[in-house]
Amino acid sequence: MLKELLVMDQEKPDVLSVDELRIILDYYSQHPPPWINNSPSLAKKKKMADTDLKIVEDVLRSLTLAAEHFRNLWDWSEFSNCYLNHNDKYVVWLACQCMAIILQLTELEKNNLIMLHMDKKTNEENMLKYNLKSNSNYKDYLKLYIPDPDQYTTVEGVSLSIVGPPKPLGDLILVNSTKQNLRNLSLAVSAGKAACLVGPVGSGKTALVHYLANITGHTDEKLLTVQLGDETDSKMMLGSYHCTDIPGEFVWQPGALTKAVTEGKWLLLEDIDSASSDLAAVLVSLVESRSLTVPGFRDRLIPATGFQLFFTQRVITTTSGYYHKQNIATDLLGKHYIQINVEPLSKNELIEVIEIKFPILKTIAPKIIDVFLLFSAGFHDNDAILSLKRNGRLTSTRDLMKWCARIVKEYDVTSSESALKVIQDAIDIFCCSAANPSIYKLSISIIISTIESKLYSYMLFPSY
């Protein structure tokens, strides 16, 4: 799916980069249909020729982008009365296309509707005219829907709408792979597709979503985060009735999913591979039909403008690489979301992050990364490291950042005490999970030999 979006983005740079669907949905959430006389957009269009043609073209374009949304948003009786009886046969042909989408007609039923208003030759001429215009550049029409260009920001070449004051962007360092992941995530949001970030623990999956949320003004109130687990079922996510202090009175309390759908918020579901089967079924129904059914509350909820789903999925680190934890949720949802693979940073990128985030450690950054890579994911020939990885906890980039944060406190590149503290902190972070004393001792020797600080080796080995 992401590959298809990237191809589209290259062939038609404006299609996804301007967030076409979201722009139109945002506009019509506050304005009436284009054929209503008091529509602000109509006032602009009256300055052009063929006003009715422009209106019907815009309506058909909107229906093509989000048929279910506009089918329920507007009263179509006035539209059909006005444009199915228009003098311009091309306008009538376009109106027939619109009504076919609204009424969900089959191809045969649509052709019968068209034949009621024109002959076969005229139908073919209008079809050819429409196809020729569809292949031309028609993006200028979007200017009608953007009253304020400042409502949009650009993230790695992709324009996204701003819903509030941007927050501080935090400590995320934008190395090359991070920039590419941000672009892929922005493309998914721009296309209105659910996004699933897949990667090992500590690879930055959640940080990417929060970075995008901060830059687009999705504060804590507009970004809901739920850590999924065995006890997170559909009832908890949808909501339920709760009793009040008044006997016999119950009030509806929406869950995170219902709240996000009705209020147009962003929803981040951590560890989607831990979702229960009933929650997976609800999510699949939501992304397939673009509507949410909440038993006992509403039969059908259409997502408000701005609603966006994010998932994270953890891949398990092993001595032979990575593997996905498959369950019914990932099996059902796999074809409905855009998958973004968030791989660990390369050695050079990790060094770049350390040098930018902790400039004082620039001289020893390569040695720090060498030690970290010994205990992180990958292929290792050393028996001590293999045993530690099998029996200890998972090592992630968070551990690297924790180690560096400890080192920089009163660090002096010329101080022998600072050199000793570097090793001591590394042992505390990477080796304390070893249950076997011999493995612990051997891991220490590996750290020392890697950092090349043999001078202090006798100080670090406890006697067992």
Side-chain angles (χ1 to χ4, degrees):
M1 177 70 77
L2 180 58
K3 183 178 180 181
E4 295 174 0
L5 291 178
L6 291 173
V7 170
M8 289 173 60
D9 188 51
Q10 293 169 358
E11 294 176 349
K12 296 182 179 180
D14 292 331
V15 172
L16 293 176
S17 61
V18 296
D19 196 6
E20 180 180 10
L21 176 59
R22 294 300 174 91
I23 290 174
I24 294 176
L25 292 179
D26 289 346
Y27 180 85
Y28 283 123
S29 65
Q30 304 175 25
H31 296 89
W35 62 84
I36 301 298
N37 291 334
N38 63 348
S39 172
S41 63
L42 188 59
K44 297 181 180 179
K45 293 171 185 175
K46 283 182 178 178
K47 300 176 183 179
M48 311 176 188
D50 304 323
T51 301
D52 289 339
L53 174 60
K54 296 292 183 182
I55 290 176
V56 180
E57 285 179 338
D58 286 354
V59 170
L60 179 57
R61 192 179 295 113
S62 300
L63 286 172
T64 303
L65 291 170
E68 192 71 20
H69 178 84
F70 290 106
R71 182 184 293 121
N72 297 281
L73 181 65
W74 293 332
D75 179 4
W76 292 92
S77 58
E78 183 178 345
F79 174 86
S80 61
N81 292 334
C82 179
Y83 295 106
L84 287 179
N85 300 306
H86 200 275
N87 294 329
D88 187 336
K89 289 301 180 182
Y90 183 56
V91 171
V92 175
W93 187 89
L94 291 174
C96 289
Q97 303 298 319
C98 294
M99 295 311 300
I101 296 175
I102 294 300
L103 301 174
Q104 298 177 288
L105 302 181
T106 64
E107 192 66 25
L108 177 60
E109 291 171 336
K110 182 176 73 172
N111 289 332
N112 291 337
L113 175 63
I114 295 174
M115 290 299 106
L116 291 175
H117 298 88
M118 65 191 70
D119 56 36
K120 185 177 180 180
K121 182 180 178 180
T122 305
N123 176 35
E124 293 175 350
E125 291 174 350
N126 289 328
M127 186 181 303
L128 178 60
K129 182 177 179 181
Y130 175 75
N131 290 334
L132 290 174
K133 295 190 68 173
S134 298
N135 293 328
S136 62
N137 185 11
Y138 59 87
K139 289 299 169 180
D140 288 342
Y141 83 92
L142 281 174
K143 297 176 182 177
L144 297 170
Y145 300 95
I146 307 178
D148 184 7
D150 293 336
Q151 291 180 351
Y152 295 85
T153 186
T154 301
V155 182
E156 297 303 320
V158 181
S159 292
L160 299 175
S161 59
I162 300 175
V163 298
K167 292 180 62 178
L169 299 181
D171 300 327
L172 187 65
I173 307 299
L174 299 183
V175 296
N176 289 335
S177 63
T178 305
K179 290 179 180 179
Q180 185 59 50
N181 289 332
L182 271 176
R183 175 173 172 77
N184 294 340
L185 186 60
S186 300
L187 284 170
V189 173
S190 179
K193 302 290 185 180
C196 182
L197 297 97
V198 180
V201 60
S203 59
K205 302 183 293 295
T206 304
L208 288 170
V209 176
H210 282 278
Y211 181 91
L212 202 62
N214 290 340
I215 204 171
T216 56
H218 287 83
T219 61
D220 295 335
E221 297 177 352
K222 296 176 182 176
L223 173 63
L224 307 179
T225 303
V226 178
Q227 177 65 54
L228 299 180
D230 296 336
E231 298 182 359
T232 310
D233 57 8
S234 60
K235 182 179 180 181
M236 181 183 299
M237 294 296 296
L238 292 174
S240 59
Y241 283 96
H242 293 259
C243 60
T244 64
D245 295 336
I246 302 175
E249 182 181 65
F250 295 87
V251 295
W252 172 258
Q253 184 172 338
L257 181 58
T258 303
K259 189 173 183 180
V261 167
T262 55
E263 299 180 15
K265 299 179 182 293
W266 283 12
L267 177 61
L268 171 60
L269 300 181
E270 299 266 22
D271 296 334
I272 188 61
D273 46 299
S274 299
S276 60
S277 57
D278 61 329
L279 176 57
V282 170
L283 293 173
V284 169
S285 175
L286 172 61
V287 296
E288 279 186 341
S289 65
R290 294 293 299 173
S291 64
L292 181 66
T293 300
V294 185
F297 179 63
R298 296 280 174 82
D299 290 337
R300 193 163 178 269
L301 291 173
I302 304 298
T305 302
F307 171 70
Q308 177 67 42
L309 262 179
F310 300 94
F311 307 123
T312 66
Q313 182 181 357
R314 181 184 302 182
V315 294
I316 307 300
T317 308
T318 67
T319 56
S320 58
Y322 305 106
Y323 76 89
H324 293 74
K325 175 186 174 184
Q326 294 293 123
N327 75 340
I328 189 171
T330 54
D331 291 340
L332 291 175
L333 286 167
K335 62 182 179 180
H336 298 292
Y337 57 61
I338 295 175
Q339 179 171 315
I340 301 168
N341 295 316
V342 184
E343 298 183 358
L345 302 182
S346 66
K347 180 178 179 178
N348 290 335
E349 288 178 331
L350 288 171
I351 293 175
E352 182 182 350
V353 169
I354 297 300
E355 292 177 348
I356 295 175
K357 195 174 178 65
F358 307 100
I360 197 173
L361 302 180
K362 185 174 182 178
T363 56
I364 63 170
K367 293 298 181 183
I368 290 176
I369 300 305
D370 286 340
V371 172
F372 167 72
L373 292 177
L374 283 173
F375 296 91
S376 63
F379 300 90
H380 302 286
D381 297 327
N382 191 287
D383 293 338
I385 300 299
L386 287 174
S387 178
L388 188 62
K389 286 172 64 60
R390 291 192 188 104
N391 303 310
R393 65 178 181 82
L394 296 174
T395 302
S396 72
T397 313
R398 296 190 189 101
D399 298 299
L400 174 62
M401 294 298 105
K402 185 190 300 182
W403 184 21
C404 293
R406 290 186 183 183
I407 296 173
V408 295
K409 295 179 180 178
E410 301 180 359
Y411 177 77
D412 183 358
V413 70
T414 62
S415 169
S416 58
E417 292 182 358
S418 293
L420 176 61
K421 186 174 182 297
V422 170
I423 301 175
Q424 289 174 330
D425 288 335
I427 294 169
D428 182 47
I429 291 174
F430 298 117
C431 301
C432 286
S433 60
N436 190 322
S438 62
I439 298 297
Y440 175 76
K441 184 176 180 179
L442 190 54
S443 300
I444 293 176
S445 67
I446 294 171
I447 291 178
I448 294 175
S449 62
T450 303
I451 300 180
E452 297 178 350
S453 298
K454 297 180 181 178
L455 176 63
Y456 304 105
S457 60
Y458 72 95
M459 302 176 62
L460 299 172
F461 283 92
S463 55
Y464 287 93

